[in-house]
Amino acid sequence: TVSSNNDMPSIDYLFLKDEIASLPEKEQELIRYRYYMDKTQQEVADILGVNQVQVSRNEKKILKRIKTNYQM
């Protein structure tokens, strides 16, 4: 973390916030629905007008990219 003060955001949080902000809008939407609004893949698919398999594949691709960037 940045500091032992609990009011300060952690470096991990700041990294994720920046990574999500750098994603294309559709990918940001997917992450927001899945992880901030706690929607299922099927619910996200219905909202975005795609099928659940596409949501699953895109989510996996996005998370892999974020993880790779984090390990750099």
Side-chain angles (χ1 to χ4, degrees), residues 8 25 29 33 50-51 53 55 60 63-64 68:
M8 295 288 294
E25 183 61 34
E29 273 187 300
Y33 286 127
V50 298
N51 64 50
V53 173
V55 170
K60 185 176 180 178
L63 295 177
K64 182 177 180 181
T68 298

Side-chain angles (χ1 to χ4, degrees), residues 56-72:
S56 178
R57 287 179 182 158
N58 287 336
E59 181 179 354
K60 185 176 180 178
K61 178 184 72 170
I62 294 164
L63 295 177
K64 182 177 180 181
R65 189 178 337 129
I66 290 172
K67 183 178 179 182
T68 298
N69 291 343
Y70 183 74
Q71 293 173 343
M72 294 179 127

Side-chain angles (χ1 to χ4, degrees), residues 5-6 8 12 18 22 32 40 50 60-61 65:
N5 181 345
N6 289 335
M8 295 288 294
D12 294 336
D18 287 345
S22 73
R32 266 196 306 273
T40 66
V50 298
K60 185 176 180 178
K61 178 184 72 170
R65 189 178 337 129

